[in-house]
Amino acid sequence: MAVKLCSAAEAITAVKDGMTIATAAFGGMCGPEELLGALEERFLREGHPRGVTLLHAAGQGDYGGRGTNHFRHEGFLRRIIGGHFESSPSLHPLIFGNKIEAYNFPQGTITHMIRAAAAKRPGVLTHVGLGTFIDPRIEGGRLNDITTEDLVSVMTIEGKEWLFYKTVPIDIALIRGSTGDERGNITCEREGVKTEMLPLAQAVHNRGGVVIAQVEHVAKAGTFNPWNVQVPGILVDMLVVARPEHHMQSYGEQYNPGTSGELKIPTHRMKPLPLTIRKVIARRAFMEIADDSVINLGIGMPAGVGAIAGEEGAESRFALTVESGTIGGIPLENFDFGMNVNVEAITGHHEQFDFYDGGGLDVTFLGFLQIDREGNVNSSKVPGKVAGVGGFVNISQNAKKAVFMGSFTAKGLEVEVHSGGITIRREGEHHKFVKKVDQISFSGRISSQGNQEVLYITERAVFRLTGGRIELCETAPGIDIKRDILDLMAFKPDISNNLKIMDRVLFGPGKMGDFVHG
């Protein structure tokens, strides 16, 4: 049962016109770059394979030519189903230009669709996405005019509404690990995440497709401790040894043993955040964390909460997690987002979303682009590009407390932070508090039907969702409520009878120190 050891060019000859390909990666982590590059080179050389469907859960791209950007050539793709697209801008013209069919589904739900395919189930039945743009009564997750087929539908079971996502049969799996042995067993000892590679390999194998694994090294059969095998060799057809430049741990760096769990890094040596509005917002959000909480951090602004935890030496008081599957330690940012320094456990991508979807999170910190009077949040639709929703829907809909973080306005905003509070030097041109969001990524209506606590934190104001309406509950020192808040909103919020001033410790230099939080 020896696996076939071959070059990337040889391996990707298995991909035929019209097939469905799935890649298991999170950003650049576990990205099979050697295989994707060879696939693009073949298309440019032969014009084949053509008309393929690409399925991927997390965003996979470096804003340049890597990851799913390799599929940017017209004729290569027929359809794409993905969780996030912002880091693959070369695909945007194909989507906007109606050159390919395109769907944006919740990231976690796509990992569960892959698992459903492995078991040959007809699809995924879940509450995730109700009331958002994924709901077929709104947009159905479709991204352009030529995308017409319904892949998600509404079902009512015992009087309760659910969404049903159809299974997508997959022909080719492109996966990656650290080491493969002569029988195809795959380990991930130098990776920062596991992804959904196991259910993907199972889905393709059970369909009679081809599983191609990229690794750094090949080991003799019988070398591995069986507990360390992430994908058993019975599921793997071909093994490709990648060049080092095509097997970076992330798009941010070649290799960091602190994120793969091989050693611990002194967190006090991590560079503190500069004193900007991002730090103010992250500090205020940090005050919402109770000891022993399980927390999720989103990308961008929310990742600053992890940096604050490190600065304050507080990361051991609670568990910081990322949807990639990491638990414990301090989540990293930018091209390293998805990995944690001093991580305590690394679970599968799909397994983390089982936990999230079931309400396991005490609090999540997520970004926002727009907020409207009903508390709806747009985090997925950006003018001029295809951003995508990522894991936002799964996470925001199911956490016990959802905290949305962002600057009050954008594009040109200039704010001076000082010990007395903040001074706005120049207001942003883009106003984020609107009458109606461009796309519903988080439904205030659905949230209000449960017991979820929802906060919206900016550098100058904190709002709360109460009874399906936005309520202003805190303002920053130095802010004029009418001029700097109310006049810049397209709707009039309720104002709390107990309107507070944000704690001045948020705006000062150095550490915040001890305070009561949670």
Side-chain angles (χ1 to χ4, degrees):
M1 294 181 63
V3 70
K4 181 179 181 181
L5 181 62
C6 57
S7 69
E10 292 173 316
I12 55 87
T13 60
V15 184
K16 308 301 181 185
D17 291 359
M19 280 187 166
T20 295
I21 304 169
T23 59
F26 191 99
M29 286 148 276
C30 274
E33 187 62 26
E34 187 85 18
L35 303 177
L36 293 173
L39 191 58
E40 180 185 26
E41 289 172 7
R42 180 188 164 200
F43 179 81
L44 292 175
R45 183 176 63 251
E46 303 175 5
H48 297 280
R50 301 183 66 83
V52 302
T53 293
L54 174 64
L55 176 70
H56 64 94
Q60 299 174 23
D62 65 344
Y63 297 89
R66 292 183 288 185
T68 52
N69 289 292
H70 286 293
F71 292 89
R72 63 186 177 269
H73 309 287
E74 191 169 341
F76 201 167
L77 288 177
R78 179 185 74 87
R79 170 183 286 184
I80 188 167
I81 303 167
H84 204 259
F85 303 98
E86 186 174 3
S87 59
S88 299
S90 57
L91 297 180
H92 298 182
L94 298 177
I95 297 172
F96 279 130
N98 284 309
K99 302 293 185 181
I100 61 174
E101 297 176 15
Y103 297 86
N104 180 204
F105 290 159
Q107 178 179 320
T109 305
I110 294 177
T111 69
H112 294 158
M113 289 168 64
I114 291 170
R115 189 173 56 188
K120 293 187 177 179
R121 300 188 184 102
V124 175
L125 189 66
T126 177
H127 59 284
V128 173
L130 283 167
T132 73
F133 78 98
I134 309 296
D135 194 313
R137 294 164 294 191
I138 301 177
E139 297 178 41
R142 296 183 291 270
L143 295 180
N144 58 21
D145 293 336
I146 66 166
T147 306
T148 57
E149 184 181 356
D150 288 327
L151 297 185
V152 58
S153 58
V154 178
M155 289 188 176
T156 301
I157 300 176
E158 296 182 348
K160 185 176 180 179
E161 286 188 342
W162 301 82
L163 293 184
F164 180 74
Y165 297 76
K166 292 181 182 179
T167 292
V168 177
I170 309 166
D171 303 298
I172 302 287
L174 303 181
I175 64 174
R176 164 185 145 176
S178 299
T179 309
D181 73 7
E182 295 166 314
R183 293 172 64 85
N185 296 299
I186 306 296
T187 63
C188 295
E189 66 275 6
R190 286 167 56 88
E191 309 297 333
V193 298
K194 287 182 183 178
T195 73
E196 62 282 10
M197 66 174 72
L198 176 57
L200 175 56
Q202 292 171 329
V204 172
H205 175 83
N206 289 352
R207 179 172 164 77
V210 178
V211 177
I212 308 172
Q214 171 182 318
V215 295
E216 287 185 281
H217 307 286
V218 176
K220 181 177 176 58
T223 300
F224 298 151
N225 182 325
W227 284 104
N228 296 334
V229 174
Q230 300 300 321
V231 178
I234 58 172
L235 303 176
V236 178
D237 298 291
M238 302 183 195
L239 208 58
V240 174
V241 177
R243 290 165 285 181
E245 63 269 26
H246 291 162
H247 204 99
M248 297 175 66
Q249 192 182 50
S250 71
Y251 290 139
E253 57 185 328
Q254 188 68 41
Y255 173 62
N256 180 351
T259 58
S260 59
E262 294 179 78
L263 55 80
K264 300 295 183 183
I265 293 175
T267 56
H268 69 272
R269 294 185 178 181
M270 296 178 69
K271 188 176 180 180
L273 290 178
L275 187 55
T276 64
I277 62 171
R278 186 186 183 211
K279 187 164 192 171
V280 170
I281 295 168
R283 280 174 161 179
R284 177 59 187 85
F286 180 72
M287 296 175 106
E288 292 298 317
I289 301 175
D291 285 348
D292 300 320
S293 296
V294 179
I295 300 149
N296 163 267
L297 298 182
I299 194 169
M301 181 76 74
V305 177
I308 297 299
E311 287 183 33
E312 300 294 330
E315 66 269 22
S316 63
R317 288 158 54 180
F318 36 76
L320 296 171
T321 74
V322 180
E323 69 244 42
S324 58
T326 55
I327 298 171
I330 299 176
L332 296 178
E333 299 189 65
N334 302 318
F335 283 136
D336 293 328
F337 177 76
M339 300 190 298
N340 294 17
V341 168
N342 301 341
V343 64
E344 295 180 22
I346 302 174
T347 66
H349 195 189
H350 54 294
E351 295 168 320
Q352 189 81 301
F353 277 107
D354 282 333
F355 177 66
Y356 285 1
D357 287 0
L361 286 171
D362 294 301
V363 58
T364 181
F365 298 97
L366 300 166
F368 70 85
L369 296 170
Q370 294 174 316
I371 297 167
D372 66 23
R373 66 170 71 245
E374 297 177 0
N376 297 320
V377 176
N378 169 26
S379 73
S380 49
K381 189 171 185 178
V382 182
K385 63 180 178 180
V386 184
V389 77
F392 187 96
V393 175
N394 302 85
I395 298 164
S396 65
Q397 187 174 345
N398 296 302
K400 296 178 182 70
K401 178 192 290 187
V403 179
F404 300 103
M405 306 164 53
S407 60
F408 193 83
T409 63
K411 193 177 181 182
L413 175 65
E414 295 178 8
V415 177
E416 177 187 351
V417 181
H418 46 79
S419 57
I422 66 172
T423 301
I424 299 170
R425 299 300 183 189
R426 180 184 174 187
E427 195 57 78
E429 298 175 24
H430 177 63
H431 294 187
K432 295 186 176 183
F433 288 81
V434 298
K435 288 184 178 179
K436 185 178 180 180
V437 295
D438 293 337
Q439 191 168 71
I440 301 175
S441 314
F442 170 82
S443 171
R445 177 180 61 83
I446 295 294
S447 174
S448 296
Q449 291 173 359
N451 297 315
Q452 187 179 43
E453 183 179 356
V454 181
L455 292 175
Y456 310 86
I457 296 177
T458 75
E459 78 286 351
R460 69 186 76 175
V462 178
F463 300 86
R464 186 181 303 276
L465 183 62
T466 304
R469 291 177 58 85
I470 296 287
E471 178 186 75
L472 175 64
C473 51
E474 294 179 35
T475 62
I479 287 297
D480 182 285
I481 294 179
K482 182 178 184 303
R483 180 193 66 211
D484 299 326
I485 299 176
L486 300 181
D487 287 352
L488 301 175
M489 301 177 71
F491 60 91
K492 184 178 179 180
D494 295 337
I495 299 179
S496 172
N497 293 327
N498 187 30
L499 186 63
K500 298 178 179 179
I501 300 297
M502 295 166 70
D503 197 318
R504 291 182 184 273
V505 74
L506 305 175
F507 307 92
K511 296 183 180 181
M512 289 192 291
D514 294 330
F515 56 84
V516 177
H517 66 291

